[in-house]
């Protein structure tokens, strides 16, 4: 049997794995790459397999980097069933048409600009019609229910505690009458103790574990998140600014509403207007309300006390683009929660355009920001950004609260793995992480367990049997790495030459600062050399 890694390989997004056994092909997740331009362009490339030859698709959860190319897959000839939990099916029912609308809108904008230069029209990645058609192939399952995909392959979905309906999937493969090989695809493993969502289920045995490593080099801070959030809200309101929160429509928005309700109920924040400016987040909140039986015990107890979903009179839902535009000309301060969570697209761009230049406003990040995303550049401290074709100075306060993430950190992933009795090949594959996070988690796993650990690159294949695993490296580049790195280094070089010129000029005007400047430069260079050493470059 073979397992091929077709996404989330040394990147955080783009989950997609192809399992082949006994002449059958099972796809686990159907990615969408998010982040920098080079990575997003991967979405437009042909699949490396024939969509018509895929027998079934197993979907861990409804985040778009796991399900975003399902409409493309179905349009290209996939006719099989898409298995997922009921809540995941419900969420995919709103997320895929929303994604398709974005694809159509983006293509329309590109083509409108291209007409003036005579460019060939660009087709959207897929259409709303494609998305709607793909939904007919979804089949909902309960947690713990076994589904037989073929005579030799079966699967069971378990609660991953990441977002509503999220799963890790156990896949059992019987090949040539031999003992079953058990694969476990972690999907995204949730952070224990987060509001609304239950903690991840434990798992006790596996032969091959495919596990995420998003926070593989980090530990979530343990602190009073409610107090920290209240302080940022009250500080921004006192300064007369807006609090802009880029948040994923599914999961993060509902968690924020939970905390905001508690703060308001305890009179720790005033009756400040709270704007949910995301039709997708509004629809997702409705799906949450329809699946309350999946909530954790604490949230269910709160609901029973209230008799219904708690409500805040100061919440306003922005459903139309016109309502959204009015927000940026409104007087007074407000909390505006809008998508996308990494600031790559959507209405959040307009709110950033109108607030980043205002010193009294705050942009608060409460989720992971992938390399290359606008959110990552803002949290890294960039001073100017281009948004919707306009150059914007960053004068607003940029804040980040860790611990709101729906992903488990490195210690929580290790704790989830703690009870797993790895058998047979004893193989762990690390996916869904950037290189440094992967390396850090790999070292921790090797220290804690007796097992084989490998971090696959794009299109690598693992040839697996009941006793061993052989890695077959691929020669298909995931992104134009050399080109992207060269562009980045050119920007660094331009900055270096500019600052070199300024420093020389400053020393000529003020010779007394030369020794201090040299000391500071040497200190900075020592830091750079340590950084290169972390990448194995001496």
């Amino acid at each position: 049997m073979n397992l091929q890694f077709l996404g989330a390989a040394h990147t955080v997004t783009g989950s997609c794995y192809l399992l082949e056994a006994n002449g059958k092909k099972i796809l686990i997740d159907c990615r969408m790459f998010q982040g920098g331009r080079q990575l997003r362009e991967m979405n437009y490339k042909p699949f490396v397999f024939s969509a018509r030859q895929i027998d079934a698709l197993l979907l861990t959860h409804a985040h778009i980097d796991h399900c975003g190319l399902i409409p493309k897959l179905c349009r290209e000839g996939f006719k099989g069933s898409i298995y997922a939990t009921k809540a995941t099916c419900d969420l995919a029912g709103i997320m895929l048409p929303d994604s398709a609308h974005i694809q159509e809108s983006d293509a329309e904008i590109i083509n409108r600009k291209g007409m003036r230069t005579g460019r060939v029209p660009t087709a959207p990645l897929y259409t709303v019609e494609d998305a709607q058609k793909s939904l007919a192939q979804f089949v909902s399952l309960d947690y713990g229910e076994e589904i037989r995909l073929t005579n030799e392959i079966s699967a069971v979905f378990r609660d991953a505690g990441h977002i509503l309906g999220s799963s890790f999937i156990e896949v059992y493969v019987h090949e040539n009458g031999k003992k079953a090989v058990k694969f476990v695809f972690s999907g995204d493993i949730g952070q224990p103790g987060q509001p609304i969502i239950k903690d991840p289920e434990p798992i006790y045995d596996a032969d091959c574990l495919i596990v995420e490593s998003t926070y593989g080099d980090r530990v979530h801070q343990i602190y009073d998140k409610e107090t920290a959030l209240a302080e940022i809200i009250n500080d921004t309101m006192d300064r007369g600014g807006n609090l802009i929160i880029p948040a994923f429509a599914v999961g993060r928005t509902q968690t924020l509403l939970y905390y905001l309700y508690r703060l308001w109920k305890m009179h720790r924040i005033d009756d400040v207007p709270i704007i949910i400016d995301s039709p997708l987040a509004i629809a997702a909140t409705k799906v949450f309300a329809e699946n309350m039986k999946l909530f954790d015990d604490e949230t269910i107890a709160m609901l029973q006390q209230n008799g219904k979903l708690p409500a805040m009179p100061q919440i306003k839902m922005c459903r139309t683009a016109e309502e959204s535009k009015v927000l940026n000309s409104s007087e007074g301060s407000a909390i505006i929660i809008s998508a996308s969570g990494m600031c790559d697209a959507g209405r959040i761009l307009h709110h950033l355009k109108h607030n980043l230049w205002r010193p009294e406003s705050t942009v608060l990040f409460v989720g992971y920001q992938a390399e290359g995303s606008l959110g990552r550049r803002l949290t890294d401290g960039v001073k100017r950004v281009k948004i919707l074709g306009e150059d914007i100075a960053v004068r607003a306060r940029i804040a980040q609260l860790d611990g709101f993430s729906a992903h488990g950190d490195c210690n929580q992933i290790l704790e989830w793995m703690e009870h797993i009795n790895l058998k047979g090949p004893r193989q762990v594959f690390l996916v869904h992480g950037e290189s440094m996070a992967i390396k850090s988690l790999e070292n921790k796993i090797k220290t804690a367990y007796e097992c084989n650990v490998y971090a696959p690159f794009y299109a690598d294949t693992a040839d697996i049997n009941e006793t061993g695993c052989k890695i077959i490296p691929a020669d298909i580049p995931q992104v134009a790495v050399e080109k992207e790195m060269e562009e980045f280094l050119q920007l660094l070089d331009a900055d270096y030459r500019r600052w070199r010129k300024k420093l020389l000029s400053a020393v000529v005007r003020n010779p007394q600062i030369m020794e201090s400047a040299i000391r500071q430069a040497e200190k900075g260079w020592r830091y750079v050399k340590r950084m290169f050493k972390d990448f194995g470059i001496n």
Side-chain angles (χ1 to χ4, degrees):
M1 66 194 80
N2 291 332
L3 179 63
Q4 191 173 25
F5 300 87
L6 300 173
H10 281 82
T11 62
V12 172
T13 64
S15 179
C16 187
Y17 317 104
L18 177 60
L19 179 62
E20 297 186 61
N22 296 317
K24 300 297 183 181
K25 297 183 178 183
I26 309 299
L27 207 61
I28 296 88
D29 287 347
C30 191
R31 71 191 188 201
M32 179 177 279
F33 289 107
Q34 298 170 301
R37 176 177 55 83
Q38 299 281 355
L39 199 56
R40 296 196 306 272
E41 287 176 355
M42 287 289 292
N43 297 319
Y44 292 87
K45 294 186 176 182
F47 292 117
V48 300
F49 52 80
S50 168
R52 297 179 183 276
Q53 293 179 1
I54 301 299
D55 294 285
L57 168 61
L58 308 177
L59 180 59
T60 59
H61 65 285
H63 273 153
I64 211 70
D65 64 319
H66 290 253
C67 71
L69 289 194
I70 286 178
K72 179 182 176 182
L73 182 76
C74 295
R75 187 186 63 199
E76 294 188 6
F78 170 63
K79 301 298 182 184
S81 295
I82 303 166
Y83 296 99
T85 64
K86 177 186 178 299
T88 295
C89 292
D90 292 345
L91 289 170
I94 60 174
M95 294 194 72
L96 291 178
D98 179 80
S99 174
H101 175 71
I102 292 172
Q103 308 307 322
E104 290 184 338
S105 298
D106 287 350
E108 181 185 353
I109 293 170
I110 292 170
N111 290 335
R112 193 164 59 241
K113 294 179 179 178
M115 286 176 63
R116 296 191 289 269
T117 59
R119 286 205 302 259
V120 177
T122 298
L125 191 55
Y126 51 81
T127 66
V128 173
E129 182 181 2
D130 294 330
Q132 293 289 359
K133 286 182 178 178
S134 72
L135 297 176
Q137 294 173 234
F138 276 75
V139 177
S140 67
L141 302 169
D142 292 327
Y143 287 124
E145 178 183 351
E146 183 178 6
I147 177 70
R148 186 157 290 280
L149 303 171
T150 71
N151 290 333
E152 300 86 7
I153 305 173
S154 60
V156 179
F157 287 66
R158 308 287 185 188
D159 195 339
H162 174 59
I163 64 168
L164 192 74
S166 63
S167 308
F168 64 86
I169 306 175
E170 302 174 356
V171 180
Y172 299 84
V173 180
H174 295 264
E175 194 171 46
N176 301 322
K178 296 179 181 178
K179 182 178 177 292
V181 174
K182 179 180 177 181
F183 294 83
V184 176
F185 296 86
S186 77
D188 289 344
I189 294 299
Q191 178 180 183
Q194 64 173 316
I196 304 174
I197 304 300
K198 293 180 180 179
D199 289 351
E201 285 189 56
I203 183 171
Y204 298 102
D205 60 87
D207 295 296
C208 290
L209 175 62
I210 298 87
V211 64
E212 69 136 321
S213 55
T214 305
Y215 284 90
D217 59 345
R218 274 172 279 181
V219 175
H220 294 315
Q221 295 180 23
I222 300 175
Y223 65 104
D224 185 348
K225 291 191 283 288
E226 287 185 3
T227 295
L229 179 59
E231 288 174 351
I232 290 173
I233 292 170
N234 293 327
D235 173 69
T236 306
M237 299 305 112
D238 289 344
R239 289 187 282 117
N242 291 318
L243 176 59
I244 309 300
I245 308 179
F248 298 106
V250 177
R252 202 62 42 81
T253 295
Q254 292 74 32
T255 298
L256 283 167
L257 289 174
Y258 176 94
Y259 281 118
L260 289 170
Y261 173 78
R262 285 174 55 89
L263 290 172
W264 173 72
K265 198 71 175 175
M266 292 184 289
H267 305 289
R268 299 181 68 185
I269 60 173
D270 295 332
D271 293 345
V272 54
I274 301 171
I275 317 297
I276 310 300
D277 187 22
S278 167
L280 181 60
I282 296 168
T285 303
K286 183 180 178 183
V287 171
F288 270 63
E290 293 168 349
N291 288 274
M292 289 189 290
K293 67 179 182 179
L294 298 177
F295 291 0
D296 63 15
D297 292 340
E298 182 181 358
T299 306
I300 289 176
M302 184 178 73
L303 295 176
Q304 289 173 342
Q305 183 180 0
N306 286 277
K308 58 181 180 179
L309 280 175
M312 290 181 281
Q314 70 271 39
I315 286 184
K316 177 183 177 182
M317 305 288 187
C318 274
R319 290 179 169 83
T320 68
E322 289 70 26
E323 290 175 318
S324 177
K325 291 175 183 176
V326 169
L327 295 176
N328 291 311
S329 59
S330 300
E331 295 183 358
S333 299
I335 300 170
I336 301 175
I337 304 172
S338 187
S340 70
M342 295 185 194
C343 306
D344 280 332
R347 296 181 181 182
I348 189 64
L349 294 176
H350 294 275
H351 300 307
L352 292 175
K353 176 181 175 181
H354 287 275
N355 285 276
L356 275 175
W357 57 271
R358 299 178 61 195
E360 65 271 25
S361 289
T362 300
V363 180
L364 171 61
F365 290 94
V366 292
Y368 187 84
Q369 304 301 309
E371 281 187 353
S373 66
L374 175 57
R376 180 65 162 264
R377 285 185 283 140
L378 288 170
T379 56
D380 282 347
V382 68
K383 298 303 180 186
R384 302 191 74 85
V385 292
K386 183 164 283 190
I387 299 177
L388 301 174
E390 188 171 333
D391 195 38
I392 307 293
V394 180
R395 297 195 182 97
R397 176 187 176 189
I398 306 298
Q400 189 168 21
L401 289 181
D402 294 326
F404 280 86
S405 175
H407 288 265
D409 63 23
C410 62
N411 289 341
Q412 291 160 345
I413 291 172
L414 290 170
E415 287 170 6
W416 179 73
M417 292 178 58
E418 192 173 52
H419 304 292
I420 300 176
N421 176 27
L422 281 168
K423 301 178 295 184
R426 302 177 64 84
Q427 182 67 52
V428 175
F429 296 102
L430 292 180
V431 295
H432 262 288
E434 294 170 1
S435 295
M436 292 185 70
I438 289 172
K439 188 65 178 176
S440 176
L441 186 59
E442 179 182 358
N443 291 335
K444 289 181 172 67
I445 291 173
K446 286 180 176 178
T447 300
Y449 306 102
E450 292 183 8
C451 61
N452 304 303
V453 184
Y454 179 68
F457 291 88
Y458 182 74
D460 281 359
T461 299
D463 183 359
I464 300 164
N465 58 40
E466 68 275 12
T467 60
C469 173
K470 177 184 177 183
I471 305 299
I472 305 169
D475 58 359
I476 305 173
Q478 178 167 350
V479 292
V481 175
E482 184 176 355
K483 181 175 182 294
E484 188 167 2
M485 193 67 194
E486 181 61 33
E487 289 175 354
F488 174 72
L489 290 174
Q490 286 175 0
L491 290 174
L492 286 185
D493 187 53
D495 280 346
Y496 165 74
R497 284 185 279 108
R498 181 163 53 89
W499 286 107
R500 179 180 182 275
K501 184 177 180 180
K502 287 186 175 182
L503 182 59
L504 282 172
S505 177
V507 169
V508 168
R509 291 196 307 270
N510 301 288
Q512 67 272 18
I513 70 170
M514 185 176 70
E515 289 187 9
S516 175
I518 290 174
R519 284 197 303 271
Q520 291 298 320
E522 287 176 337
K523 182 179 178 181
W525 182 237
R526 286 195 297 271
Y527 172 81
V528 170
K529 287 195 288 187
R530 286 198 303 271
M531 180 188 70
F532 278 115
K533 190 174 181 180
D534 289 339
F535 290 112
I537 303 171
N538 294 313

